[in-house]
Amino acid sequence: MTNHAAVSLVLGDIVAQRVDAIVNAANPSLLGGGGVDGAIHRAGGPEILAACQRLRETSLREGLMPGHAVATTAGKLAAQWVIHTVGPIWSPTEDRTAILMSAYRECLRVADELAVTTIAFPAISAGAYGWPLLEAARVAITTTSTTPTQVAEVTFVLRDQHAYDIFRLALDELGS
């Protein structure tokens, strides 16, 4: 694969996106939580939770490790798939950038396996996991725009104007 995805930004709600796959910034249990994770589970309905429970009973008994990704149905969402990934918790003393990069790359790998051409990402690790927003944006945009993939369009869905403005700054800095 020598293709690279085009990157765009949207101010809005990730669960309302009409794309092939929506990325869930999940916790390792895959069983729902707050923020994006909770919103996706609520909007998608019980099918998503049931699929995650099946994964926990079979191939992911210990949960999903940070930097990895797995897909489930999207339930009632407009998307066909939810790709769940766990980002790293930010640390002021340990550089976990490689794990955050892996979360984005693994989502694109799973998307390629599913023949996804459009995907919506949240700002992984930039909420409850405390990653500084500008650094999270730089990692997100750099990783998704340089990772070889058959995905044609990556959209970052930002929930508020501040996050959108920070991602816009990072996108402009990187010349994407």
Side-chain angles (χ1 to χ4, degrees):
M1 277 177 266
T2 58
N3 297 338
H4 294 90
V7 176
S8 62
L9 309 177
V10 170
L11 179 62
D13 186 347
I14 197 163
V15 300
Q17 300 306 302
R18 296 195 172 277
V19 291
D20 297 331
I22 290 174
V23 173
N24 179 17
N27 64 53
S29 78
L30 293 178
L31 302 179
V36 170
D37 193 13
I40 287 172
H41 275 270
R42 283 189 300 278
E47 297 87 353
I48 297 172
L49 179 59
C52 288
Q53 287 171 327
R54 281 191 299 278
L55 287 168
R56 288 301 308 274
E57 292 166 1
T58 57
S59 59
L60 295 173
R61 290 187 181 276
E62 303 299 316
L64 187 63
M65 298 301 297
H68 294 254
V70 65
T72 66
T73 179
K76 298 174 187 169
L77 297 172
Q80 184 176 3
W81 304 100
V82 172
I83 299 176
H84 307 266
T85 191
V86 179
I89 296 171
W90 184 76
S91 168
T93 60
E94 179 185 345
D95 183 3
R96 298 177 179 169
T97 304
I99 300 169
L100 185 56
M101 292 170 69
S102 177
Y104 285 105
R105 283 191 194 111
E106 284 294 297
C107 287
L108 292 173
R109 180 190 60 76
V110 170
D112 285 341
E113 289 176 359
L114 299 170
V116 162
T117 59
T118 58
I119 189 169
F121 281 93
I124 297 169
S125 290
Y129 283 11
W131 210 277
L133 190 54
L134 182 56
E135 183 57 28
R138 287 173 174 149
V139 170
I141 291 166
T142 299
T143 305
T144 57
S145 65
T146 61
T147 299
T149 182
Q150 292 304 309
V151 173
E153 184 181 334
V154 166
T155 302
F156 287 97
V157 183
L158 294 313
R159 69 184 183 288
D160 60 42
Q161 190 65 50
H162 175 69
Y164 181 91
D165 291 345
I166 296 294
F167 266 72
R168 170 56 55 201
L169 175 64
L171 192 61
D172 292 347
E173 280 179 1
L174 298 166
S176 297

